Amino acid sequence: MEGPKEPKIITDKNEMREWSRSMRAQGKTIGLVPTMGFLHQGHLSLLEEAHKHTQVFVVSIYVNPGQFSPNEDLSTYPSDFNGDIKKLMSVPGGVDVVFHPHNLYDYGMGSVGNSEGGIERDGVVSCVEDGGLGHETWVRVERLEKGLCGKSRPIFFRGVATIVTKLFNIVEPDVAVFGKKDYQQWRIITRMVRDLDFSIKIIGSDIAREKDGLAMSSRNVHLSPDEREKALSINRSLSKAKAAAGMGQMNSRDLINTVIESVQEAGGKIDYAEIVDQESLKAVEKITSPVVFCIAAWFGKVRLIDNIEISG
Ligand code: AMP
């Protein structure tokens, strides 16, 4: 029997593209799972999903400075590269390549990554602004990026859409898998791929949860045991809202208020709680078609997001 497959680690974007092209020349289809590392079962479930669609697999591990505002948690974002590789090797079928670039905004001109352009993880904590000779092209999905997480994180989806575009251009995958945990992100990437005619199939994969219902997230490691316990109120109240909708409670405001109350009672600070159309992400007053109940809430210093689809 074959042992676990050790992935090839590629850090150079030209080498990455060459690898993909050589695979394609051999008639193989390529799957990409973009991640920021500190992998958990949620990420691995995306890889398992990718295995259903393509023949070779790339997981990218890159903490993208372009999606963090200066006041966000770029410098404390957790990482464990060696642990990540071990976890990837535990997935049946494994992964062929881990793409782990150092700095995808470095164009060899020495203008980003310094105090002006500021993208270093330790020390300068910035979205790649005002880099002068550096990076200045951004992809925006104009309307979808504005609501939900976009309200409190105005440059976030610009950074996500741009880095995903860069990864698509470097890896040239046939299929890319995103988690529905980041529902708005998945919808934004799907729309971007349609609007910009990328020849890539986007798959949305279900949320992986801990046994007690907490949505898996790299950021959960920053929760104290007490905060973690309290954070269970998110999934519990969302599940109750879904059950209530199933029993005929279709008024969004009532459902939202109940969830807000439960999360606040547990000590959470709500960023947003909204029921929106699954495609357009526009708020709905009454649930008459498929919607998704999205929430973001702070427990201590950790901002958690979660959602639940309600078929309507
Ligand atoms: P991240 O490393 O947090 O940027 O996430 C990389 C990918 O994993 C994104 O497509 C996320 O939506 C997905 N992901 C993260 N957590 C989960 C989860 N609990 N269930 C499913 N997908 C997830």
Side-chain angles (χ1 to χ4, degrees), residues 25 31 53 61 64 77 111 155 157 195 204 216 223 225 256 277 281 284 295:
H53 304 275
I61 297 184
N64 171 34
Y77 198 85
S111 59
I155 58 113
F157 288 115
D195 289 358
M216 290 183 180
L223 291 167
I256 290 170
D277 178 83
L281 304 186
V284 301
I295 184 167

Side-chain angles (χ1 to χ4, degrees), residues 39-47 179 205-209 216:
L39 303 180
H40 49 66
Q41 187 51 41
H43 297 109
L44 303 186
S45 70
L46 303 189
L47 183 56
S205 193
D206 288 338
I207 302 178
R209 298 184 179 280
M216 290 183 180

Side-chain angles (χ1 to χ4, degrees), residues 33-37 39-40 42-43 45-46 67 77 177-182 185 205-209 215-219:
V33 176
T35 82
M36 297 208 298
L39 303 180
H40 49 66
H43 297 109
S45 70
L46 303 189
Q67 69 195 54
Y77 198 85
V177 185
F178 291 82
K180 288 194 196 175
K181 152 126 187 315
D182 299 87
Q185 168 171 287
S205 193
D206 288 338
I207 302 178
R209 298 184 179 280
M216 290 183 180
S217 163
S218 306
R219 289 186 168 99

